[in-house]
DNA sequence: AAAAACCTTGACTGGTTGGTCAGGTCTGTT
DNA sequence: AACAGACCTGACCAACCAGTCAAGGTTTTT
């Protein structure tokens, strides 16, 4: 049974840990930083979680589920261009709403994905292969431009996640104005032009 | 005066440090890792460089110069579409030849760019603003599609650097085959369709 | 109200980290 | 060969790190 206090403190800790792991990576983050961010003492952190690794693992598990969902939501029965545009829009929305999750993921991949190897090589790969086959079918039927489906998927990832992962850079170049301002119409135009048969 | 041995060992250290910093970030990297990678003892590392910070600083300085160059090479007098396609191709080539430099940069930005703030807000911003104005002029003259010049530049960064920064992910999904296989024709088609007036 | 269960922390530990230093080895020059 | 300067390292240090624990405080249940 989980108490009221447990629920509150676990949430605080995971939120603080997301912040710190996303910015510093697993090795670069310290429990002291996370504890300070959460407003708790370090021993108290370790009362709720077994170890630094355990906090990180839980964060990753939450992340991975939400990472597959948008791609899975592509409907084989739907209109090809609308489905892909919808996927792009959903991914962009995630960069807007969950930039820290995006940076956490980016940090893991940059470090060579040691903790994600299984997930990527199994779950993600299987889903991407499936969606790539679907896109190839759509292209063969003439309902979509003939594009390499893998690079199409990678390009959606690259373009949408860039706004979360490189937020600091974009902010400095655009001097404070919302980094995502104008991104959606730009990407819509880009992918509409790319996908028109 | 620098001796033969100095030249060799400094090079070894910077090469090893690039490897380790790119994979672990500044905080996550340790001098022991760098020393092991370089095949030198830790005190020997500190014979050639004053501190961990000094190694990182030198690496960043080398990086920043090469980071501005391709964008600077865009010729105002050239053909608009050819100039932008050339810039994209140059950036893609850099992802192929210098993936570790790309990951080092990505790591810094992910961490909030604390060590790059000045460079980005001054040098990079000035150059981007200049190039964005040039692209806007080209668009106004009808020699280019009317696209947001900032998002155009960001999209080139996102799409080309993705292949270096997310190399581990792409490798696992494409099972060992060269992650950049097919990338160039895909990106050429994408930007040709985007930029056609 | 008092027991039981839950929550919190100061003080600590063993291991790691960036960095120092005295003293030794190697290299090029005369 | 012998000297100067450059190069290298084992042993060490203080600060920091993840994690432990005994003791005390708070909340919930009875």
């Amino acid at each position: 049974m989980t108490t009221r206090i447990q629920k509150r403190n676990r949430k605080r800790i995971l939120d603080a840990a997301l912040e710190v792991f996303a910015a510093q990576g697993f090795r670069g983050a310290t429990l002291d930083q996370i504890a300070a961010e959460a407003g708790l003492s370090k021993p108290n952190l370790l009362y709720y979680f077994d170890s630094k690794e355990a906090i990180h693992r839980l964060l990753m598990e939450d992340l991975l589920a939400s990472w597959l969902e948008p791609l899975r939501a592509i409907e084989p029965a739907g209109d090809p261009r609308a489905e892909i545009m919808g996927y792009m829009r959903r991914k962009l929305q995630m960069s807007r709403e969950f930039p820290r999750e995006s940076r956490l993921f980016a940090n893991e991949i940059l470090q060579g994905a040691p903790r994600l190897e299984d997930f990527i090589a199994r779950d993600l790969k299987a889903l991407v292969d499936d969606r790539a086959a679907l896109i190839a079918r759509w292209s063969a039927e003439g309902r979509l431009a003939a594009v390499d489906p893998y690079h199409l998927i990678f390009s959606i990832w690259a373009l949408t996640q860039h706004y979360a992962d490189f937020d600091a850079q974009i902010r400095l170049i655009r001097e404070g104005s919302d980094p995502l301002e104008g991104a959606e119409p730009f990407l819509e135009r880009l992918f509409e032009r790319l996908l028109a048969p």
Side-chain angles (χ1 to χ4, degrees), chain A:
Chain A
M1 194 199 89
T2 59
T3 70
R4 193 169 40 86
I5 295 175
Q6 255 171 59
K7 201 171 259 181
R8 167 171 54 88
N9 283 354
R10 278 177 193 274
K11 199 179 182 75
R12 273 194 196 175
I13 292 167
L14 288 173
D15 194 68
L18 175 59
E19 192 78 32
V20 177
F21 282 136
Q24 309 275 3
F26 182 76
R27 284 212 38 140
T30 73
L31 287 179
D32 291 281
Q33 281 176 291
I34 296 171
E37 182 83 22
L40 300 171
S41 69
K42 187 169 59 166
N44 207 5
L45 235 69
L46 291 159
Y47 171 77
Y48 289 102
F49 292 94
D50 285 344
S51 63
K52 180 184 177 183
E53 178 110 21
I55 301 175
H56 190 265
R57 191 164 35 236
L58 191 54
L59 234 33
M60 294 306 290
E61 278 163 23
D62 290 354
L63 173 65
L64 296 189
S66 73
W67 220 241
L68 293 177
E69 207 197 279
L71 191 55
R72 195 171 269 143
I74 292 178
E75 274 294 338
D79 173 65
R81 279 158 73 184
E83 288 297 325
I84 292 172
M85 296 303 285
Y87 175 56
M88 181 274 286
R89 246 176 258 117
R90 242 169 287 135
K91 286 288 290 177
L92 191 62
Q93 186 61 12
M94 285 183 63
S95 273
R96 206 190 308 266
E97 279 181 40
F98 308 109
R100 299 179 305 177
E101 281 82 351
S102 184
R103 286 195 282 271
L104 178 64
F105 188 81
N107 232 315
E108 287 296 306
I109 303 293
L110 263 180
Q111 276 152 44
R115 281 171 272 270
L116 290 179
E117 236 170 315
D118 283 359
F119 166 77
I120 293 173
R122 257 209 334 264
D123 310 55
L124 182 57
K125 181 184 183 322
L127 183 56
V128 169
D129 282 345
D130 182 73
R131 282 348 194 196
L134 174 63
I135 291 168
R137 216 177 309 133
W138 281 341
S139 288
E141 290 167 0
R143 305 166 71 191
L144 212 61
V147 291
D148 182 317
Y150 287 95
H151 287 291
L152 174 60
I153 292 170
F154 296 155
S155 72
I156 293 172
W157 292 350
L159 286 167
T160 56
Q161 290 171 25
H162 185 80
Y163 287 98
D165 301 344
F166 287 74
D167 176 84
Q169 174 176 239
I170 297 175
R171 263 201 160 69
L172 286 166
I173 287 174
R174 309 210 62 176
E175 277 181 296
S177 79
D178 173 22
L180 271 151
E181 198 184 296
E184 188 156 341
F186 176 85
L187 293 181
E188 255 162 30
R189 184 201 181 108
L190 185 153
F191 281 107
E192 255 157 31
R193 286 204 171 201
L194 176 66
L195 296 175

